Structure formats: structure tokens, C-alpha cells
């Protein structure tokens, strides 16, 4: 479900698995990932100064861009179970309800930041204006991280 972005009902057809069983399996998997210290210590944390230095060096070597910590992108995901009352707010130019997902990833596809739940009627610039990442940079809570960064462009 996570990898393919499909709903629980898809598993009923493919794997002969009921919706409640599929939901339970997904909950157990995500809880297991969060509770496993060897996974959460590596992947479920903010970048450290040494992480940032490695990523910046990698981007400098691969792309020739100095000071790049990652690439920001916004995508919209179809929301088939959108409540009727919210449909107008989440129905954008696609003609069906969508939810915006914002992510920052490095060259190795390590996701350093994500935020989701933005209404589908918002464009990428409006999503960035509401981004918790931008908010943390503007209210200076991002300064508590132990590495320096520059905003350019």
C-alpha cells in the first residue's frame, strides 16, 4: 500500500485480504518501523552536521552545486475517499480531489523533510507558503540545527 499508493480495497482483489486485515498489517508495519531502534535511529531523525556535510559534498561532486542539501518537490496524490463536504476545497485542476505532498530528498533519495495534507486547489507556490519547513526557517527554529545553510534563488 505504501509503495504503490493504493487503497486497502486493492488488497481484497490482489491478495484475497480484507480491508480490516490490510489496515491492521499496515499499522503493525509502521509501528514496527517507528519502534525499531536500528531503523528509527538512522532514518527517522533530523539531519546532523556530519549528515549535512556528506550530502553537500555529494551534491557538489555529482551536480557541481555547492551548498545544496537536497531537492524540494511537491506532488499531488488522488484522494478517492475524500468526504463530499471537502470535495470543493480539495478538487483542483485535475478534476478530482487531491492532497499535496511536499518532500525534500538528497541524491540518495533519503527524505529529510516531508509534509502532507495540503488542499488540492493549492498550487506549488501556495503549498510552499504554508510549508512547515519555510515556517521553521522564518521563525528561526531551524537555527537550532547544528549546521549552517543558505537559502538561494
Amino acid at each position: 500500500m505504501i509503495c504503490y499508493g493504493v487503497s486497502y480495497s486493492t488488497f481484497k482483489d490482489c491478495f484475497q485480504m480484507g480491508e480490516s486485515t490490510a489496515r491492521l498489517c499496515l499499522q503493525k508495519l509502521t509501528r514496527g518501523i517507528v519502534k525499531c531502534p536500528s531503523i528509527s535511529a538512522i532514518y527517522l531523525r533530523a539531519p546532523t552536521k556530519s549528515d549535512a556535510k556528506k550530502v553537500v559534498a555529494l551534491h557538489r561532486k555529482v551536480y557541481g552545486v555547492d551548498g545544496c542539501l537536497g531537492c524540494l518537490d511537491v506532488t499531488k496524490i488522488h484522494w478517492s475517499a475524500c468526504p463530499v463536504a471537502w470535495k470543493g476545497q480539495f478538487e483542483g485542476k485535475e478534476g478530482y480531489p487531491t492532497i499535496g505532498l511536499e518532500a525534500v530528498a538528497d541524491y540518495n533519495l533519503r527524505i529529510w523533510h516531508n509534509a502532507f495534507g495540503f488542499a488540492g486547489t493549492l498550487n506549488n507556490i501556495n503549498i510552499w507558503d504554508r510549508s512547515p519547513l519555510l515556517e521553521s526557517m522564518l521563525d528561526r527554529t531551524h537555527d537550532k540545527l547544528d549546521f549552517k545553510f543558505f537559502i538561494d534563488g
Side-chain angles (χ1 to χ4, degrees):
M1 289 179 287
I2 294 173
C3 295
Y4 295 109
V6 296
S7 66
Y8 299 114
S9 59
T10 305
F11 278 69
K12 182 179 7 174
D13 301 331
C14 296
F15 302 108
Q16 300 298 312
M17 182 185 295
E19 183 177 333
S20 60
T21 306
R23 183 178 291 126
L24 181 65
C25 290
L26 181 62
Q27 287 174 348
K28 284 186 177 191
L29 173 69
T30 53
R31 284 187 186 135
I33 290 171
V34 170
K35 289 182 180 181
C36 179
S38 60
I39 293 175
S40 61
I42 296 170
Y43 297 106
L44 301 178
R45 60 177 175 76
T48 63
K49 191 172 192 171
S50 64
D51 292 333
K53 286 180 180 179
K54 290 175 189 173
V55 171
V56 168
L58 181 65
H59 280 256
R60 185 181 318 116
K61 178 182 172 188
V62 174
Y63 298 116
V65 178
D66 193 26
C68 180
L69 186 59
C71 300
L72 173 77
D73 194 17
V74 175
T75 188
K76 294 192 178 166
I77 301 168
H78 177 63
W79 187 13
S80 59
C82 178
V84 174
W86 295 359
K87 189 174 181 184
Q89 182 181 0
F90 284 84
E91 187 174 319
K93 64 179 169 69
E94 296 83 7
Y96 50 84
T98 58
I99 296 178
L101 168 69
E102 171 190 73
V104 175
D106 65 13
Y107 177 76
N108 294 321
L109 302 180
R110 169 85 185 265
I111 297 175
W112 293 108
H113 160 78
N114 66 49
F116 60 91
F118 302 104
T121 54
L122 300 175
N123 63 22
N124 293 357
I125 295 170
N126 292 339
I127 289 176
W128 173 242
D129 285 341
R130 290 162 176 77
S131 169
L133 181 63
L134 176 64
E135 185 178 324
S136 70
M137 290 177 184
L138 294 177
D139 68 9
R140 307 198 57 84
T141 56
H142 214 66
D143 292 347
K144 295 175 185 169
L145 297 176
D146 63 350
F147 62 88
K148 293 185 188 267
F149 63 92
F150 300 97
I151 302 174
D152 186 22

